[in-house]
Amino acid sequence: MVAMATSTTPTVTTKSRSRWFLPLVAAAWLAGAAGAYFLLTRHFDHALQALPYFILLACPLMHLFMHRRHGHGRQPQDPQQHDR
């Protein structure tokens, strides 16, 4: 008996998103850019002191978000591929 593999990832269509989604994302990016500009122009020395902490924080975040696309935790479709 052959079991068929089914995908459990939800598909998001453009119709299922709210019409307010894109303007809110654009406003969030604009607010973040304005905040970063004022932080770097007014408090450059403080931002420079926090740089090592941001680099250390980037390591676990990259590990967490970049491993999603490797297929960890999924079973191979072909049993012979498991031996490789």
Side-chain angles (χ1 to χ4, degrees):
M1 185 162 144
V2 177
M4 295 186 64
T6 59
S7 176
T8 59
T9 57
T11 57
V12 177
T13 61
T14 56
K15 291 182 182 179
S16 67
R17 288 186 179 170
S18 172
R19 67 179 185 165
W20 297 102
F21 180 73
L22 188 60
L24 287 177
V25 170
W29 275 102
L30 186 62
Y37 171 76
F38 284 114
L39 177 69
L40 292 176
T41 57
R42 305 287 181 179
H43 303 284
F44 183 73
D45 53 341
H46 298 131
L48 194 61
Q49 289 175 353
L51 186 62
Y53 298 110
F54 289 135
I55 292 172
L56 288 175
L57 180 65
C59 293
L61 289 176
M62 285 191 322
H63 183 78
L64 177 70
F65 290 115
M66 293 180 74
H67 270 291
R68 288 185 179 177
R69 294 182 179 89
H70 290 284
H72 292 274
R74 293 187 203 145
Q75 298 296 324
Q77 298 296 330
D78 187 13
Q80 293 177 351
Q81 286 181 348
H82 187 66
D83 295 335
R84 292 183 192 174

